[in-house]
Each structure stands twice: as C-alpha cells, then as structure tokens.
C-alpha cells in the first residue's frame, strides 16, 4: 500500500514526496527527529516528544517549522489517512537548503524542511521479542559529544546494531570509560537486589521520553531508582536489565556479552514496568 506522507505543508503519496538534493539534512545530517508510538490509533506521549523536539531545535539554532498544535494535527491526520492502529510516526526537521552546499548555515529566513511519515506495526505492544528478552553485546561509544540532541547522525548506532546482529544478538550497549552510556536506540538499566540503576541525564545520553515516564512510574510503584553510572561488569552481575524507547517501550535484556542475567529470562521488574508503562501510556494517549 502506498503511504500518504507529509512534506512541507503537503500530504502526498510517498512516491511523489520530494526534498532537494541540497537539503542540509541530506548533505550534512543537519537535522533532528522524533519517533512517536501509536497504540489504539492514538499518540503516546506526544507532549514529551514535542517538548524535546523544541529543545533539539533550540540547541542547534534551527527554526521551528510550525507550532505544536499544527504538529499534533499533522500527526493525527497521518495516523488517520494511513489507518494506523499500532505503529509509529516519524518526524524530521532539517535546516533546509538555500540551493547550494556550504559549511556555513544558510541565510536566516531559510525555511526548515519538515517531513513526517507513518510506519504500520501491528503487534507493536504485544511484541514476542519482549517475552523472550534481548541479547546484547557491548561496544565502545565513539559518537559525538552532544548525544542529548536527537540528530539524524545515526551511522554509528546503525553499525552497532549490525555488529550485534553479526554476533547473533539483538542490540548493543555503548561503553565510555568503562561505563555504559546507552543502547544504540534506547536507554539502559540494570536491576540489583530490587534497585533499578540507570545513567543520570547529561550530554552523554539522549534524554529518553520513555525513560522519564518509566522512572516516574517506577517511583509511583514504590520501586527503588538510583541514577548513577554503572560499568559493563556490574551489568553482567545484575539480577536483570532492560532498555526503554518510544518504539519498544520497556524491553527486558537477558544476556550481555554472552553472560546470562539471572535465569536468562525476562526479570520481574522489567516485566512489571512494561505492563505499567503500556497500561498508563494507553490511558494518557491522545
Ligand atoms: N537513546 C538513544 C540513543 C535513542 O536513539 C533513543 C531513541 O531513539 C533513546 C535513547 C530512547 O528515547 P525515547 O524513549 O525518547 O524513544
């Protein structure tokens, strides 16, 4: 089926949507993005994604393409036009183009490029991978120093995912100075003696929208949460581990670098948090 996508004010069949070859998103990865989940035909935590998008744009002195209300309308219209019940809405804003390639930013007033499309993912919430749990490898984190900005510079995370696949695993956690930063496209957590440990927010990691919601829900459920650095060795000794992201929610991790965690099946805290997150997010979806 041909999707209807959104490009700079127009809803078009995906085959007819076009962006300039001089666009800085294409030439320089000068672009930011958001991915919002859709469950029951509704958007999960749209507000969180809109707030983070604004922050990413501000950090890069990039113009806002439209208002938050307009963004919400575009999201909803694409979900409706493409009949999405479970899936994702991908949004990208680039610095646009003034018709040539230059390291200097285009002149003020150059229109940003705004592109959105949907991805239909039936069974997103009831994902069998979450019942099995993920196997991960660790790799060096060699990304740039502003990982808090959600840019489209995803080559290394993509290579990390391929390294994991080549090792017969599902994903990779990245390590800097011996400490886990985050997963290729998710935030990382370990659990020891009932205590949930995750890296504190800084420029070293993406400030996950799901992370924020899950930490709030964990506190509400009287779970112990500690925001501190942890090493990959500590992770291998943990009782359980998990990741969070807007597209995979709470994903249990059952193996790190070939070492099984606990009994090698998804742990009780990860499973409980997944249930709570899905339940609460569905209720608050718009
Ligand atoms: N960390 C990285 C590097 C990511 O790419 C992502 C999501 O794409 C996350 C964390 C999770 O963020 P969110 O929960 O907002 O999806």
């Amino acid at each position: 089926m041909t999707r209807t996508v959104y490009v700079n004010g127009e809803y078009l069949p995906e085959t007819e949507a076009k962006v300039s070859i001089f666009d800085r998103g294409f030439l320089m990865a000068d672009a930011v993005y958001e991915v919002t989940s859709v469950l029951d035909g509704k958007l999960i935590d749209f507000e969180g994604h809109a707030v983070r998008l604004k922050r990413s744009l501000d950090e890069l002195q990039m113009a806002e393409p439209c208002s938050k209300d307009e963004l919400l309308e575009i999201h909803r219209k694409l979900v409706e036009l493409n009949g999405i019940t479970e899936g994702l809405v991908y949004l990208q804003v680039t610095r646009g183009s003034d018709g040539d390639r230059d390291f200097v930013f285009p002149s003020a007033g150059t229109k940003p490029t705004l592109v959105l499309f949907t991805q239909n993912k039936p069974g997103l919430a009831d994902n069998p991978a979450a019942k099995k749990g993920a196997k991960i490898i660790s790799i060096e984190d060699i990304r740039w120093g502003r990982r808090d900005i959600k840019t489209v510079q995803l080559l290394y995370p993509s290579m990390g995912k391929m390294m994991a696949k080549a090792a017969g695993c599902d994903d990779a956690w990245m390590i800097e100075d011996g400490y886990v930063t985050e997963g290729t496209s998710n935030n990382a957590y370990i659990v020891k003696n009932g205590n949930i440990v995750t890296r504190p927010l800084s420029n070293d990691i993406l400030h996950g929208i799901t992370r924020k919601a899950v930490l709030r829900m964990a506190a509400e459920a009287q779970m112990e949460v500690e925001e501190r650095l942890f090493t990959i060795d500590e992770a291998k000794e943990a009782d359980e581990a998990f990741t969070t992201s807007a597209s995979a929610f709470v994903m249990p991790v059952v193996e790190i670098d070939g070492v099984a965690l606990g009994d090698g099946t998804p742990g009780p805290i990860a499973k409980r948090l997944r249930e709570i997150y899905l339940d609460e997010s569905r209720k608050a979806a718009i």
Side-chain angles (χ1 to χ4, degrees):
M1 198 191 93
T2 307
R3 271 175 290 195
T4 300
V5 303
Y6 176 94
V7 186
N8 294 331
E10 288 188 287
Y11 294 88
L12 297 167
E14 62 186 33
T15 45
E16 286 171 33
K18 288 189 180 65
V19 174
S20 164
I21 62 157
F22 297 111
D23 193 281
R24 289 182 56 99
F26 178 61
L27 293 180
M28 304 219 167
D30 189 357
V32 298
Y33 76 108
E34 286 295 330
V35 179
T36 303
S37 281
V38 177
L39 293 177
D40 314 316
K42 290 183 181 169
L43 301 162
I44 303 294
D45 211 341
F46 172 80
E47 178 68 24
H49 290 284
V51 168
R52 184 173 60 189
L53 174 66
K54 169 87 172 76
R55 180 178 180 278
S56 295
L57 293 169
D58 287 350
E59 291 296 311
L60 298 174
Q61 293 108 47
M62 215 184 272
E64 272 180 87
C66 61
S67 71
K68 189 165 79 175
D69 287 348
E70 284 165 325
L71 273 188
L72 176 58
E73 195 190 314
I74 300 166
H75 275 74
R76 284 179 159 159
K77 191 157 174 189
L78 281 182
V79 167
E80 190 196 319
L81 288 173
N82 292 291
I84 308 291
T85 306
E86 285 198 10
L88 307 170
V89 181
Y90 177 87
L91 168 158
Q92 182 167 325
V93 185
T94 86
R95 204 181 300 275
S97 144
D98 59 6
D100 207 346
R101 180 178 183 272
D102 198 333
F103 278 79
V104 175
F105 289 175
S107 52
T110 301
K111 271 202 155 69
T113 300
L114 175 62
V115 169
L116 287 93
F117 57 82
T118 54
Q119 293 182 292
N120 193 27
K121 306 251 178 205
L124 187 67
D126 199 22
N127 184 354
K131 295 189 179 84
K132 250 176 76 192
K135 293 181 181 181
I136 60 154
I137 58 165
S138 60
I139 59 172
E140 232 7 77
D141 196 337
I142 58 167
R143 297 174 299 162
W144 77 326
R146 290 303 306 272
R147 303 159 191 158
D148 57 309
I149 308 173
K150 199 166 167 66
T151 75
V152 300
Q153 300 174 62
L154 296 175
L155 183 55
Y156 185 65
S158 176
M159 288 169 75
K161 192 94 178 168
M162 294 310 290
M163 290 182 235
K165 296 277 173 206
C169 292
D170 305 294
D171 204 356
W173 279 9
M174 292 177 280
I175 316 295
E176 192 167 58
D177 302 328
Y179 295 101
V180 175
T181 51
E182 58 189 333
T184 57
S185 60
N186 43 60
N187 291 114
Y189 308 73
I190 57 171
V191 183
K192 188 76 179 179
N193 301 325
N195 198 21
I196 301 166
V197 181
T198 195
R199 191 177 177 108
L201 295 182
S202 69
N203 291 354
D204 299 333
I205 61 170
L206 186 73
H207 302 188
I209 300 307
T210 321
R211 178 188 183 280
K212 187 174 181 190
V214 164
L215 292 188
R216 176 174 49 78
M217 290 168 196
E220 282 165 8
Q222 320 296 331
M223 294 177 183
E224 294 292 325
V225 178
E226 219 183 319
E227 291 183 66
R228 64 163 172 84
L229 302 189
F230 61 94
T231 64
I232 193 68
D233 290 335
E234 188 181 359
K236 287 177 200 167
E237 304 265 294
D239 300 327
E240 54 175 298
F242 61 92
T243 60
T244 61
S245 66
S247 54
F249 315 118
V250 178
M251 177 61 66
V253 167
V254 294
E255 191 186 292
I256 301 175
D257 288 335
V259 178
L261 304 185
D263 65 2
T265 64
I269 290 188
K271 283 201 288 193
R272 182 79 194 109
L273 279 175
R274 185 178 173 88
E275 275 169 22
I276 297 174
Y277 178 77
L278 282 170
D279 204 37
E280 297 278 314
S281 305
R282 282 193 138 115
K283 279 190 216 148
I286 59 169

